[in-house]
Amino acid sequence: MTGGDGGHATPYGSGQSSGVLPGDLRSADDVEAGIVALWREYGRLGHQRLRDRLVLHYAPLVKYVAGRVGTGLPAHVDVADLVQSGIFGLVDAIERFEPERGLKFETYAMQRIRGAILDDLRSQDWVPRSVRGRARELERALERLAARLQRTPTDRQLADEMGVTVSELKDIYAQLQLTSVVALDELTSAGRGTTPLADTLADDDAEDPVAMLVDQDNRRQLADAIGRLSERDRVVVTLYYFENLTLAEIGKVLRVTESRVCQLHTRAVLRLRASLLETASA
């Protein structure tokens, strides 16, 4: 390979560092000379390291082509995915380029990049190609009739233009309805700005903030009420409700009978209730 045909600087690559020449500041001529040398070295050795440096230099071509292709696609198609597909096309272009044919590399590469992007889009398309073809045929017929009639054509006129019956035209409409894909984010954010779909879905497992605040306030009031109990009543409440001990086990701890613990527990509960009611009415 020679670099004269394959290494011309472009608007896409002239601002990129090729990694061939030292220094941070390179003139356009320096970049051009460096790419020519890199093409020659890659043509002679074919090392992957050299190929990767060419990919880095011509990478802006991929972004440019992906942007052009993406302008005619639905909004749910991510341009970043197109760029990823286009990189494979660029690598293929570098590996297959034959400068002796006299073709400029950028022209050849843009064709390969666009082809790689379109191939990837077709592989992901679940709609039959025959239906896509019908859609294009319908669009062209609509354009012709609208220009000729200066108004929207009727179904009968459109069917005659396409050479089908009105019933067949309605079947085409039904098939095309299934090909329309709309991002859920677009549907849910209609009339509400750019709110993401995730922000509109209810989380059944999420705790209600209001309920959490009420619960925290109740816990605080209960803790204050328990703190105002006598020491023995506080021990009974703590062991029974927080340590899950039985009345018999609490009796062993306090060295009293189980019936006595029951009395203490009842008294403590009544005092807590009265204290909470007093707090609520305050």
Side-chain angles (χ1 to χ4, degrees), residues 239 243-254 258 261:
L239 295 179
E243 301 297 335
N244 296 320
L245 268 62
T246 64
L247 295 178
E249 292 171 335
I250 295 173
K252 292 180 180 179
V253 173
L254 298 179
E258 184 176 349
V261 174

Side-chain angles (χ1 to χ4, degrees), residues 9 18 23 64 66 92 110 119 122 144 150 185 198 212 228 249 254 259:
S18 66
Y64 172 78
D92 184 62
M110 290 175 69
D119 286 345
R122 293 190 190 100
R144 290 195 302 270
Q150 296 299 308
D185 277 342
M212 289 177 60
R228 290 193 293 270
E249 292 171 335
L254 298 179
S259 61

Side-chain angles (χ1 to χ4, degrees), residues 94-155:
I94 292 174
E95 292 179 345
R96 294 173 178 268
F97 184 58
E98 298 176 0
E100 59 272 11
R101 291 191 174 189
L103 182 65
K104 190 176 180 181
F105 174 74
E106 289 83 349
T107 304
Y108 173 75
M110 290 175 69
Q111 295 174 353
R112 304 294 298 188
I113 293 168
R114 186 175 186 276
I117 293 174
L118 294 179
D119 286 345
D120 190 50
L121 287 173
R122 293 190 190 100
S123 67
Q124 299 176 28
D125 191 3
W126 52 271
V127 180
R129 296 185 65 179
S130 59
V131 176
R132 293 293 187 195
R134 275 297 199 182
R136 289 191 293 271
E137 183 181 351
L138 178 61
E139 290 174 0
R140 288 193 290 266
L142 276 170
E143 291 174 358
R144 290 195 302 270
L145 283 175
R148 189 187 314 153
L149 302 174
Q150 296 299 308
R151 60 173 174 80
T152 303
T154 64
D155 285 349

Side-chain angles (χ1 to χ4, degrees), residues 9 20 62 68 130 146 201 270 272:
V20 177
V62 178
R68 292 286 299 272
S130 59
L201 300 178
L270 290 174
L272 282 175

